[in-house]
Amino acid sequence: HVQLVESGGGSVQAGGSLRLSCAASGYTYSSYCLGWFRQAPGKEREGVASISTGDSRTYYADSVKGRFTISQDNAKNTVYLQMNSLKPGDTAIYYCAAHRYDCYEGSWSYVSSYVHWGQGTQVTVS
């Protein structure tokens, strides 16, 4: 059973940076898709970025391209989300999620594609 634990959230002023971490455990297959999602109050959960643990293939939402970078440290089974040039509109609870197999362009941002979820970490940009 895959378990995901997020950390690194907090409060920051607009233009600042934060780095989120997602520590994974319980992997039983060779490749997973790890995704970062966010949910703001009153809004649906949306995909932010994803990375395949096997080939490091990455995808980003248009709203964060050029500002956010997803990466991984396979030795630590940890995925990171470096967030730069943060805006008030980035305020949300950020969730890490995973499913078996690589990420694909047509499905990486769908909540329903993911089986395993972390508890979330709050990011507030003022």
Side-chain angles (χ1 to χ4, degrees):
H1 180 67
V2 176
Q3 292 185 312
L4 305 170
V5 179
E6 304 99 331
S7 61
S11 296
V12 65
Q13 291 187 337
S17 299
L18 283 173
R19 188 178 80 157
L20 305 182
S21 299
C22 173
S25 61
Y27 284 156
T28 56
Y29 298 101
S30 61
S31 184
Y32 287 80
C33 177
L34 270 292
W36 282 101
F37 287 75
R38 65 187 182 186
Q39 188 165 19
K43 295 188 176 181
E44 292 187 354
R45 194 169 297 189
E46 64 174 354
V48 174
S50 71
I51 188 166
S52 295
T53 62
D55 62 9
S56 296
R57 185 184 320 173
T58 60
Y59 296 102
Y60 294 91
D62 289 342
S63 59
V64 306
K65 281 181 181 177
R67 300 190 298 124
F68 291 10
T69 302
I70 190 169
S71 63
Q72 61 183 342
D73 184 335
N74 285 339
K76 297 181 179 179
N77 280 349
T78 300
V79 172
Y80 304 98
L81 185 68
Q82 178 66 44
M83 305 185 295
N84 298 328
S85 302
L86 283 161
K87 306 174 182 179
D90 295 318
T91 295
I93 299 175
Y94 283 69
Y95 297 92
C96 180
H99 69 72
R100 185 184 170 189
Y101 304 120
D102 292 328
C103 306
Y104 292 97
E105 184 172 11
S107 63
W108 74 267
S109 63
Y110 295 157
V111 170
S112 59
S113 296
Y114 295 80
V115 177
H116 311 286
W117 291 85
Q119 82 287 353
T121 185
Q122 176 71 47
V123 171
T124 303
V125 185
S126 59

